[in-house]
Amino acid sequence: MAPAQGQFSEHSDSADGKDSAEGSSVPPAFRSAVEALRSARLRPELEVEPTRPPQRLAPHAYAVEAAVVDGEDDLADGRLVLLHDPAGHDAWQGTFRLVTLVRAELEPEMASDPLLPEVCWSWLTGALEARGLSYGEAGGTVTRAGSHYFGTLAERRPATQIEIRASWTPREGRGGVPDTAAHLAAWGDLLCQIAGLPPSGPSDAAVVTLPQRRGPQAP
């Protein structure tokens, strides 16, 4: 992960995949949406860099990956992909779509909570709504996976990982361009929340956060 915290690395043009978001073949709306992503200011605990986007999901795509960093430890990590189809997409109900994967290791007391999947999904929708973002057609999964260690690894504690896979349609604003910078910031809030960090703004008693983690347990 690049060392630039709370912003994109200096090499943000180098991993755009099939689209560089520049040139005459790229729609102006997509170019503007990508530039907004590149200029977004995020929480300082986040390290962000562009990565190669998936192919064949849409005519135009741009992706970033991020990690919540505490010293030498990654507390959570994820990927956010911006898709654009100028012709529109019936399932999206729009021309843009955001797709994400977020994951983190859980503390044992949280891993056993039967309401954890519902809580994690509410973190995603809550992060978007907290920034006043309008969106539609949201869908996804929350997966809780446990690992138990045996043999030479038997001294390790059982581990549980939570994974959120989701997508939603950001509502388009002026010029048909959604506020991708704000959506990226909301996604960053979600990543920090699943990492167990406190909210960056005034504390909200209705918000549940995970206990802060300090990286994987040593064997």
Side-chain angles (χ1 to χ4, degrees), residues 95-109:
T95 63
F96 284 90
R97 188 75 170 172
L98 286 163
V99 182
T100 188
L101 164 65
V102 172
R103 58 196 174 193
E105 188 173 318
L106 298 178
E107 295 291 341
E109 61 268 25

Side-chain angles (χ1 to χ4, degrees), residues 3-139:
Q5 292 188 332
Q7 59 186 4
F8 286 102
S9 74
E10 295 178 354
H11 307 290
S12 58
D13 291 336
S14 63
D16 296 351
K18 64 179 180 180
D19 272 309
S20 65
E22 298 171 358
S24 59
S25 64
V26 179
F30 180 70
R31 186 183 304 116
S32 297
V34 170
E35 288 304 319
L37 285 176
R38 290 172 173 168
S39 65
R41 300 296 300 182
L42 308 176
R43 289 184 56 162
E45 300 92 346
L46 286 165
E47 293 188 354
V48 188
E49 66 181 14
T51 188
R52 187 170 298 279
Q55 304 296 304
R56 294 185 290 274
L57 291 182
H60 307 279
Y62 185 85
V64 299
E65 58 185 8
V68 181
V69 178
D70 178 26
E72 297 297 320
D73 297 327
D74 286 1
L75 304 181
D77 62 79
R79 189 184 197 201
L80 184 69
V81 181
L82 175 68
L83 304 176
H84 178 53
D85 186 343
H89 196 293
D90 290 341
W92 302 353
Q93 293 296 299
T95 63
F96 284 90
R97 188 75 170 172
L98 286 163
V99 182
T100 188
L101 164 65
V102 172
R103 58 196 174 193
E105 188 173 318
L106 298 178
E107 295 291 341
E109 61 268 25
M110 290 297 296
S112 60
D113 187 342
L115 296 179
L116 182 65
E118 288 81 1
V119 169
C120 288
W121 183 256
S122 74
W123 290 345
L124 170 61
T125 57
L128 296 170
E129 291 162 6
R131 290 185 177 268
L133 293 170
S134 178
Y135 65 95
E137 308 305 315

